[in-house]
Amino acid sequence: MQERHDAPLAPLTTFRLGGPATRLITAVTDAEVIDAVREADASGTPLLIIGGGSNLVISDKGFEGTALRIATTGFDLQGTRLELAAGENWSDAVARTVEAGLAGIECMAGIPGSAGATPIQNVGAYGQDVSATITEVVAYDRRSGETVVVPNAECAFSYRHSRFKEDPTRYVVLRVRFELEDAGGLSAPLKYPETARALGVEAGDRVPAARARETVLKLRAGKGMVLDPQDHDTWSAGSFFTNPVLTAAEHTAFLTRVAERLGPDVAPPAFPAGDGLVKTSAAWLIDRAGFTKGYGSGRARISTKHTLALTNRGEATTEDLLALAREVRDGVHEAFGVTLVNEPVTVGVSL
């Protein structure tokens, strides 16, 4: 277990933003993770868990307490059953399952971050969510002081949400278990229209899993969603805002605002979200509110490739980023009456 003091945290995040931590511990085994958490809890020291750093917005002042970087490794594939250590690189793990001819997570290729973060956010992209393949999550329960196994049914998965996100100070994810599909080297049925179009097939069709993965990587790269140190469009947390989920009444009011602003013939994206709810597109809202690709003149700007990504152009501060995020959030609300919610976790700051 490595330990540093007054350690910079910006290099551990994809935004490359944030001040130092009073103390930074890097744990490479589950036992080291648990020991570090127990020590912090016993002493009452604030604790920040860091995995791949792809979903963190850290204050310019940094973090007064112990930052615990989980760098555990472990890729165990037995037939169609996969167990990943929390510190495993997610995108690399996806590639290895595709190489093994298995389906279920191939359309989540290129998502930055670590495996341990996937159940917390119910990570998903291009028609797949990890909730569809996760069977169990092994976690350290800070309340009971024990390691617990949480089955899928008890994870309370919903859109970009879970029980782990609902109660962020209780659980520390150690391992994630999946049940994948052996479809003879083919992908799972494609659910996302953009992916199907790019592959020249219909939604619901299967294609070779490797081809689906490569297509998703190309789509993501075209939107600046695949990490590249030389491309400031990728100095982001991916999608900064979640897609709004509206009640029937909220959706009706939203459509009225759209008609007033853009005309009666404009139909915003709408997707059923269960129980009478409707999900619409945050990217559509941002763009139609006037925040187009490349918007901004400061050190933090909207990506030139995708309106949903807020980016550090190289010398931004966290406050620069937050100022842009607030401008976009408030502008969308003024235009359409919909309040966007940030997807990244904020540390020491808020919108």
Side-chain angles (χ1 to χ4, degrees):
M1 187 160 58
Q2 300 175 354
E3 180 176 334
R4 297 171 60 194
H5 294 268
D6 195 29
L9 295 180
L12 302 181
T13 74
T14 53
F15 265 125
R16 294 167 172 80
L17 296 175
T22 306
R23 181 183 183 219
L24 172 64
I25 292 175
T26 299
V28 297
T29 68
D30 290 353
E32 289 182 353
V33 171
I34 293 170
D35 287 347
V37 174
R38 284 177 172 164
E39 179 190 346
D41 288 348
S43 63
T45 303
L47 182 67
L48 171 64
I49 305 296
I50 300 178
S54 61
N55 205 46
L56 286 178
V57 178
I58 300 174
S59 163
D60 290 316
K61 295 180 180 180
F63 182 72
E64 293 187 9
T66 296
L68 172 59
R69 177 171 172 260
I70 298 180
T72 54
T73 57
F75 179 100
D76 183 18
L77 184 61
Q78 302 291 332
T80 57
R81 295 181 180 181
L82 172 67
E83 180 179 282
L84 296 176
E88 279 289 327
N89 179 283
W90 173 252
S91 189
D92 290 347
V94 171
R96 292 177 69 177
T97 64
V98 171
E99 289 172 2
L102 299 177
I105 59 176
E106 64 280 355
C107 289
M108 289 181 275
I111 294 177
S114 60
T118 60
I120 298 172
Q121 291 289 121
N122 186 17
V123 164
Y126 294 94
Q128 290 182 341
D129 296 304
V130 293
S131 60
T133 49
I134 287 177
T135 57
E136 297 175 330
V137 177
V138 181
Y140 176 68
D141 184 344
R142 297 169 70 182
R143 185 178 300 171
S144 67
E146 298 178 347
T147 298
V148 296
V149 178
V150 184
N152 180 293
E154 297 178 16
C155 290
F157 286 126
S158 60
Y159 174 65
R160 301 296 172 266
H161 202 71
S162 69
R163 72 180 293 179
F164 311 107
K165 186 175 181 180
E166 183 71 26
D167 195 356
T169 63
R170 179 172 179 179
Y171 297 101
V172 179
V173 175
L174 301 174
R175 296 185 173 266
V176 188
R177 294 169 179 160
F178 301 82
E179 179 65 43
L180 304 177
E181 179 188 6
D182 185 351
L186 296 179
S187 69
L190 298 170
K191 296 181 179 180
Y192 203 69
E194 183 183 10
T195 313
R197 285 195 300 270
L199 286 160
V201 298
E202 298 294 326
D205 288 349
R206 294 178 184 261
V207 298
R211 187 176 165 215
R213 173 181 173 271
E214 288 301 323
T215 298
V216 166
L217 287 174
K218 289 178 181 177
L219 289 172
R220 290 185 64 87
K223 300 174 182 178
M225 299 291 186
V226 177
L227 290 178
D228 179 351
Q230 305 305 314
D231 182 0
H232 287 289
D233 276 332
T234 73
W235 290 30
S236 75
S239 299
F240 193 88
F241 297 104
T242 58
N243 290 322
V245 177
L246 309 175
T247 64
E250 290 170 340
H251 188 241
T252 298
F254 167 55
L255 292 178
T256 299
R257 295 287 288 270
V258 170
E260 292 172 350
R261 183 179 178 91
L262 303 176
D265 297 328
V266 175
F271 310 95
D275 298 325
L277 301 175
V278 179
K279 182 168 64 176
T280 191
S281 165
W284 188 95
L285 287 166
I286 293 167
D287 183 73
R288 297 309 190 280
F291 303 102
T292 54
K293 295 175 184 177
Y295 177 87
S297 58
R299 297 176 295 185
R301 304 176 197 172
I302 290 178
S303 166
T304 66
K305 300 181 179 72
H306 199 294
T307 53
L308 203 46
L310 308 187
T311 66
N312 171 9
R313 306 317 294 184
E315 297 180 352
T317 65
T318 299
E319 281 305 312
D320 292 331
L321 175 75
L322 293 174
L324 176 62
R326 293 175 187 129
E327 181 183 3
V328 172
R329 178 199 61 190
D330 295 346
V332 166
H333 186 269
E334 181 180 354
F336 300 113
V338 175
T339 300
L340 295 178
V341 176
N342 54 291
E343 184 168 340
V345 175
T346 55
V347 178
V349 293
S350 65
L351 290 189

